[in-house]
Amino acid sequence: MQIESPFELVLFGGTGDLSQRKLLPALYLLHRDGRLPDGRVVCISRREMESVAFIDWVLAALKTHVASEYLEEAVWDGFASKLQLVCLDADNPDDYDALAAALSSDDVNRVFYLATGSNLFLPVCRGLSTAGLIGSRSKVVLEKPIGHDLQSAKAINESVAEYFSESQIYRIDHYLGKETVQNLLVLRFANSLFESQWNQHFIDHIEITIAESIGVEKRAGFYEQVGAMRDMFQNHLLQLLCIVAMEPPARLETDAVRDEKVKVLRALKPIVGDAIHRHVVRGQYDAGVSQGKPVPPYREEPDVHHKSNTETFVAAKVEIDNWRWAGVPFYLRTGKRLSERVTEIVVSFKEIPHSIFPMQHKNTMANKLVFRLQPDDGVRLMLCEKRVGPGMSVRPMNLSLNPANHRKTRVPEAYERLLFDALCSNATLFVRDDELMEAWRWVDPIIQHWNEIDLRPEPYTAGTWGPAASTLLLAQDGRLWVENS
Ligand code: BG6
């Protein structure tokens, strides 16, 4: 697959945090690998900035966020020549003429990337349309979270749909761009070994963890409005769940894949009423020690309200009501200021029915298949082997299925993959409107309930694995999170 040239990528929020940390570094790396053909990257900024200052700013961003071994002067010069800055106020329709002047008058391969709050999606689409910038080959990429509940997401979808058809809309969830997530699809659907075991007959439970060691950092203005449920659970965690639990699509085609994912979301057992207390844990970090340093409680972070009830941690027991997964709990959790940064999917197989070996604990020795997404990526299978020496004692053994040190190629960043796909008009790893709606439909009652009770989430010490209730969530089913087992 190749990007059609000349391309035009217009980044709204072009000098914002996401551009600085992820989008511009990803574009630079694509350019470095020779995968970005002739074209332009137009960054939109509300604040006035001279072109020279902008180019310096991009270079500083790359020096911070791209490994120094990939920064080469000649490559940078080529990349810099593709960059352009346009200063405009996205809310002001008159400002879009400046953007029109910077773009070609032809109907080229053009992607508008909206790395802004979803409240700006409508004004931006309207401004682009009035200025005649939306061509038949234009696409729009929407950053998450889209809306704050089902109703607002529907309203945003409808307004964007006035300007772009569904096939032109790319809702990004950068977790789908991570290499291990795609590898999970390959491992599941290119091997018969796993697929034959991938159901309630053989699997006891599945854990999906996205743990971060960082706190809210400088993003309180955003985070106070969303919390962990809207920031991570409604999108990243549920998308990972879909990839793990979906049926094999008939073909690797955009809608064939998305059809299967949406079926998983439709089959999620609703968690409503009293079940919310039993199945969902909501936490907020307190003071503690993170990576060896004392850190303040969430409520004392800059710009956080001192009585904030925003959750920084969510764990939930999720069930899928279908033949494949009936009776298999999926334990999902995410949080900030947790013990370490790790994203993992742990598939725990059923324990053996009877042990013939001394000292083999049936449950702790159950096989596990672990997909690690970060900080390093890889897949490992936990089996049992004989302990060397006399007797027949059994011990756990980790079989690495793709040792990172055997790999010669650089693992691309999620945003590299997704920006490339959007520029190539491949929407397979993007979220369709019905998936977004189903995800909101499922989380809405939980968020509504939290709003009604208006209580502080359960505090947990920064640098730990979250509130005690999270441990109890599994303990009540006789299970343990992977770090305790
Ligand atoms: C973003 C969230 O979508 O994902 C952030 O808004 C979070 O709060 C980030 O820190 C985590 O992404 P990654 O790729 O670093 O795990």
Side-chain angles (χ1 to χ4, degrees):
M1 215 181 287
Q2 277 183 348
I3 297 175
E4 241 180 89
S5 170
F7 75 90
E8 289 179 344
L9 174 62
V10 183
L11 292 180
F12 283 85
T15 55
D17 181 63
L18 188 70
S19 268
Q20 182 180 22
R21 284 186 305 113
K22 301 285 184 188
L23 302 178
L24 290 165
L27 289 165
Y28 170 82
L29 289 167
L30 283 174
H31 170 80
R32 177 185 172 272
D33 288 356
R35 299 205 297 147
L36 211 54
D38 274 351
R40 280 186 259 192
V41 177
V42 181
C43 290
I44 306 292
S45 172
R46 181 191 285 261
R47 64 192 148 111
E48 290 292 331
M49 206 194 268
E50 292 298 325
S51 295
V52 180
F54 166 66
I55 295 292
D56 288 348
W57 175 84
V58 178
L59 183 58
L62 298 186
K63 284 186 176 161
T64 315
H65 300 289
V66 174
S68 54
E69 62 191 293
Y70 303 131
L71 284 174
E72 291 150 52
E73 206 172 323
V75 179
W76 156 250
D77 288 345
F79 182 62
S81 70
K82 290 186 164 123
L83 296 173
Q84 194 174 344
L85 176 74
V86 171
C87 300
L88 65 79
D89 175 1
D91 260 329
N92 183 355
D94 297 336
D95 277 13
Y96 285 77
D97 291 343
L99 177 58
L103 299 180
S104 135
S105 50
D106 297 338
D107 186 8
V108 296
N109 177 16
R110 183 176 292 158
V111 172
F112 300 105
Y113 193 121
L114 276 46
T116 66
S118 56
N119 56 326
L120 278 183
F121 292 175
L122 175 58
V124 170
C125 291
R126 196 186 288 139
L128 294 173
S129 166
T130 312
L133 298 177
I134 306 178
S136 66
R137 300 174 60 210
S138 297
K139 288 150 276 184
V140 65
V141 179
L142 306 178
E143 259 298 336
K144 50 126 292 236
I146 299 181
H148 55 272
D149 59 8
L150 178 62
Q151 207 186 343
S152 58
K154 260 190 193 159
I156 292 167
N157 252 359
E158 280 164 17
S159 48
V160 174
E162 283 178 33
Y163 302 96
F164 292 92
S165 65
E166 179 59 24
S167 64
Q168 293 175 296
I169 302 174
Y170 289 59
R171 295 174 195 83
I172 197 163
D173 186 306
H174 78 277
Y175 269 65
L176 294 180
K178 292 189 187 261
E179 191 66 20
T180 313
V181 175
Q182 292 144 51
N183 195 21
L184 178 55
L185 286 175
V186 175
L187 279 167
R188 280 198 59 195
F189 303 131
N191 298 291
S192 57
L193 183 68
F194 297 123
E195 199 46 31
S196 57
Q197 310 283 306
W198 216 253
N199 56 53
Q200 41 92 12
H201 296 296
F202 298 97
I203 292 178
D204 179 73
H205 69 282
I206 295 181
E207 293 164 49
I208 308 181
T209 297
I210 307 180
E212 297 186 274
S213 54
I214 54 169
V216 67
E217 303 199 294
K218 292 181 189 145
R219 296 169 73 227
F222 160 78
Y223 200 80
E224 278 280 90
Q225 307 301 316
V226 293
M229 188 56 127
R230 293 187 181 99
D231 187 38
M232 302 291 285
F233 202 109
Q234 183 268 349
N235 30 70
H236 302 326
L237 271 175
L238 289 184
Q239 283 294 323
L240 292 183
L241 174 70
C242 287
I243 300 286
V244 175
M246 68 196 258
E247 294 299 317
R251 287 172 301 280
L252 191 61
E253 280 175 7
T254 302
D255 277 330
V257 173
R258 304 198 295 187
D259 285 345
E260 297 308 334
K261 278 164 57 200
V262 79
K263 283 184 205 162
V264 174
L265 293 167
R266 287 200 188 113
L268 292 181
K269 186 174 182 165
I271 303 186
V272 290
D274 287 347
I276 296 176
H277 293 291
R278 275 180 285 116
H279 290 205
V280 190
V281 176
R282 184 175 178 244
Q284 187 188 70
Y285 64 81
D286 228 331
V289 175
S290 175
Q291 292 160 315
K293 289 196 188 121
V295 291
Y298 177 72
R299 285 180 168 193
E300 287 174 27
E301 294 276 22
D303 301 324
V304 170
H305 193 277
H306 67 286
K307 286 194 173 156
S308 170
N309 285 342
T310 301
E311 77 282 355
T312 61
F313 177 95
V314 180
K317 175 180 173 179
V318 179
E319 288 163 283
I320 301 175
D321 281 339
N322 65 17
W323 271 52
R324 187 188 282 266
W325 294 117
V328 179
F330 288 74
Y331 300 103
L332 273 50
R333 66 178 164 170
T334 183
K336 295 213 181 272
R337 281 273 185 254
L338 296 184
S339 193
E340 58 182 294
R341 175 178 186 242
V342 60
T343 300
E344 253 182 12
I345 299 166
V346 181
V347 180
S348 292
F349 290 89
K350 292 201 162 153
E351 58 192 42
I352 51 170
H354 164 70
S355 172
I356 60 166
F357 301 108
M359 305 297 289
Q360 182 184 14
H361 304 291
K362 280 196 309 169
N363 52 358
T364 54
M365 298 296 245
N367 298 141
K368 289 184 172 52
L369 184 59
V370 181
F371 296 90
R372 194 172 170 98
L373 277 71
Q374 52 198 27
D376 44 340
D377 67 300
V379 184
R380 66 182 198 276
L381 184 59
M382 293 161 73
L383 300 168
C384 292
E385 66 172 0
K386 180 184 174 297
R387 196 181 294 277
V388 177
M392 285 297 271
S393 89
V394 174
R395 66 169 191 178
M397 168 188 64
N398 271 320
L399 192 65
S400 177
L401 299 188
N402 59 343
N405 52 5
H406 284 187
R407 214 190 275 124
K408 292 204 179 64
T409 45
R410 179 179 68 81
V411 178
E413 290 286 331
Y415 279 98
E416 267 176 83
R417 166 77 197 223
L418 296 175
L419 280 165
F420 181 81
D421 282 4
L423 284 161
C424 289
S425 308
N426 177 6
T428 310
L429 296 175
F430 291 81
V431 178
R432 201 169 58 191
D433 56 348
D434 50 355
E435 291 179 70
L436 176 72
M437 294 308 144
E438 291 303 330
W440 276 122
R441 203 186 309 283
W442 189 82
V443 302
D444 255 12
I446 302 171
I447 295 178
Q448 262 166 30
H449 173 77
W450 290 342
N451 288 344
E452 279 157 23
I453 57 170
D454 197 22
L455 286 178
R456 184 184 184 188
E458 200 181 321
Y460 60 94
T461 306
T464 65
W465 279 104
S470 165
T471 309
L472 289 177
L473 182 73
L474 270 72
Q476 70 196 3
D477 295 342
R479 299 190 176 96
L480 295 168
W481 289 106
V482 68
E483 70 274 5
N484 300 324
S485 64

